[in-house]
Amino acid sequence: MTEHTALPAGQRNAIGVTLGLLGDEWSLLILREALLGATRFVDWRARLPISNAVLAARLQRLTEAGLFLRGNGYRLTERGADSWSVLLSIWAWEDRWVPSHPERLPDRVHRLCGKPFDPVLVCSACDTAVLATDHTLEGGFGPSGSWERSVPEATTRRRSAGDAGLFPETTALIGNRWSAALVGAAFQGVHRFSDFQRCLNTSPTMVADRIRTLCALGVLGDDYRLTAKGLAFFPVVMCLVGWAQRWYRAAEGPALSYRHLPCGAGFEAALDCSSCGDRLVRKDVVPTS
Ligand SMILES: [Zn+2]
Ligand SMILES: [Zn+2]
């Protein structure tokens, strides 16, 4: 599937739909293994501590959403394979910031230069690195953007009858609709309890609970601002936003729209190799175990 999905006016925007789909630990793990070569049901069963029922349900959902093509097993579509930058950013963040990781993450080697690397978030137009702290992006909600339309519907969330615990912190950040919205608000500069509550438009109890979780993970500090660990999640957020808006388009226009001030171009996230500086493409990012 190479075409984007048109979203009706007034409904969930690209961000809300994407968080409903990928803000789920099993789905991320299934995609990760698919990017590493899994194509058959038994491949995922052998690689993940996942039950038949959960795997079947997730594969069906991802297939219906156009990320897999069913035939001789499950093959990633262009849309599914395009999630590699999100998975790579998660992998690098967990590797750096989650020291007690439940599984040993493989080293990353860039096939083009042969060196270990970290992905560096850059502007696709001018190739300059972009950090959450450098304030070089101007913008925010576009025509289909609002908090309400960016939060996945409650019915799309299935609570954790057996989360894998393999991406525990990423799951805590984006695997829950309110956490994801809170992280989004924090990246837009929100840091007061009342402002978080206004953005999320949910109960103070829920907001307090989510803030407590993010503080406990060290993603938010005591002042409710993003810590270094929280700010380092920026590439995951921007790659997720990029994927969302490449594959889902609301009738009114984008949910989020940013301009990169140094070059003036509309911002699109890309990843460079920290070792050689070249643009990363999926086929050159190979894990070694
Ligand atoms: Zn630029
Ligand atoms: Zn390289």
Side-chain angles (χ1 to χ4, degrees):
M1 188 176 286
T2 57
E3 288 286 302
H4 70 261
T5 300
L7 301 174
Q11 305 289 305
R12 290 292 151 226
N13 62 27
I15 308 300
V17 170
T18 295
L19 287 175
L21 195 63
L22 299 188
D24 170 85
E25 186 182 20
W26 284 124
S27 297
L28 291 172
L29 287 165
I30 287 166
L31 283 171
R32 184 187 71 179
E33 295 307 324
L35 288 163
L36 296 173
T39 58
R40 296 170 308 156
F41 201 85
V42 292
D43 295 338
W44 283 286
R45 288 279 286 136
R47 295 169 184 217
L48 297 173
I50 192 168
S51 72
N52 279 326
V54 171
L55 176 58
R58 294 301 199 281
L59 282 173
Q60 185 184 347
R61 186 142 181 264
L62 292 168
T63 302
E64 283 166 5
L67 280 74
F68 284 107
L69 198 62
R70 184 113 196 243
N72 188 12
Y74 294 84
R75 281 187 303 111
L76 284 169
T77 59
E78 194 179 328
R79 176 186 302 207
D82 189 41
S83 67
W84 71 272
S85 61
V86 178
L87 273 299
L88 179 63
S89 303
I90 290 173
W91 177 11
W93 184 80
E94 295 250 343
D95 192 28
R96 166 74 178 79
W97 294 98
V98 188
S100 57
H101 209 277
E103 58 174 355
R104 198 186 75 80
L105 295 170
D107 295 329
R108 291 177 299 277
V109 172
H110 186 211
R111 199 191 303 244
L112 209 62
C113 68
K115 299 206 176 98
F117 73 99
D118 281 317
V120 178
L121 178 70
V122 299
C123 165
S124 68
C126 70
D127 214 34
T128 307
V130 176
L131 300 172
T133 46
D134 63 19
H135 304 291
T136 56
L137 296 184
E138 179 187 73
F141 281 135
S144 69
S146 67
W147 291 108
E148 195 190 3
R149 292 180 63 181
S150 306
V151 174
E153 291 176 65
T155 50
T156 67
R157 306 300 317 140
R158 279 168 306 248
R159 262 344 290 165
S160 56
D163 277 353
L166 297 180
F167 285 155
E169 303 209 1
T170 295
T171 308
L173 263 63
I174 59 172
N176 169 288
R177 60 202 291 257
W178 300 121
S179 298
L182 197 75
V183 168
F187 273 109
Q188 292 204 9
V190 171
H191 60 88
R192 287 194 192 87
F193 188 93
S194 55
D195 291 335
F196 280 123
Q197 207 203 329
R198 187 174 44 76
C199 293
L200 272 59
N201 192 24
T202 182
S203 72
T205 312
M206 177 64 80
V207 176
D209 177 68
R210 294 293 97 198
I211 287 179
R212 202 158 42 236
T213 301
L214 295 182
C215 287
L217 290 176
V219 166
L220 289 184
D222 292 338
D223 56 359
Y224 296 172
R225 290 178 196 269
L226 290 161
T227 61
K229 179 178 178 178
L231 290 165
F233 201 67
F234 192 56
V236 178
V237 173
M238 295 314 282
C239 287
L240 200 61
V241 168
W243 186 87
Q245 304 205 127
R246 276 192 295 281
W247 298 104
Y248 296 93
R249 301 204 186 143
E252 303 94 331
L256 288 166
S257 170
Y258 293 102
R259 203 160 57 89
H260 188 224
L261 293 174
C263 75
F267 178 75
E268 277 191 48
L271 299 174
D272 277 2
C273 168
S274 62
S275 285
C276 70
D278 277 354
R279 185 66 50 86
L280 295 174
V281 295
R282 182 166 66 97
K283 68 174 174 55
D284 290 332
V285 182
V286 290
T288 59
S289 51

